[in-house]
């Protein structure tokens, strides 16, 4: 995709690239904390159903086999929306110094 899930343009960070992969599982009904991402994050849904709440920008649902670029610098939460765990593969596209790939907590919604 050439834009994030919220229609934002994005660019790869300058500097020495760092691509960091991770696997994340949310149980049925389990919810993440309110957080945001500073760099592009490609998320791929392996199994289960995921719903992401972007506050004033609405909610989006994702099913197995779907991939999307997560919102950048926009606070959101995600939860397992189905009856089985949600397995997500994620790929952060950041830079090595500083390492910007960790999600950042939000004090409040946007």
């Amino acid at each position: 995709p050439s834009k994030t899930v919220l229609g934002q343009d994005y660019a790869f960070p300058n500097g020495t690239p760092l691509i960091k992969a991770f696997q994340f599982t949310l149980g049925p009904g389990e919810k993440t904390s309110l957080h945001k991402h500073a760099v592009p994050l490609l998320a791929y849904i392996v199994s289960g159903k995921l719903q992401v709440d972007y506050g004033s920008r609405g909610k989006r649902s994702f099913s197995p086999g779907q991939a999307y670029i997560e919102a950048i610098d926009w606070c959101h939460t995600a939860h397992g929306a189905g009856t089985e765990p949600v397995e997500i593969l994620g790929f952060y596209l950041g830079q090595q110094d500083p390492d910007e790939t960790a999600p950042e907590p939000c004090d409040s919604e946007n």
Side-chain angles (χ1 to χ4, degrees):
S2 60
K3 295 191 180 279
T4 71
V5 68
L6 295 182
Q8 302 164 303
D9 291 322
Y10 67 92
F12 297 114
N14 296 324
T16 305
L18 172 67
I19 298 174
K20 189 179 278 187
F22 69 94
Q23 184 175 357
F24 187 68
T25 303
L26 282 173
E30 186 177 0
K31 184 177 177 180
T32 67
S33 62
L34 187 63
H35 67 282
K36 62 183 177 178
H37 306 277
V39 297
L41 164 61
L42 170 66
Y44 176 80
I45 309 305
V46 177
S47 62
K49 292 183 181 179
L50 179 71
Q51 185 173 73
V52 185
D53 185 345
Y54 297 100
S56 64
R57 299 290 299 269
K59 296 178 182 177
R60 307 289 193 288
S61 296
F62 303 97
S63 299
Q66 288 187 298
Y68 66 100
I69 302 292
E70 186 55 273
I72 298 172
D73 288 328
W74 191 269
C75 296
H76 59 279
T77 60
H79 76 274
T83 57
E84 65 178 276
V86 180
E87 184 179 346
I88 304 161
L89 293 179
F91 302 91
Y92 283 106
L93 309 172
Q95 62 181 343
Q96 287 186 10
D97 189 21
D99 180 353
E100 303 171 312
T101 60
E104 300 172 14
C106 294
D107 294 332
S108 62
E109 289 190 19
N110 304 299

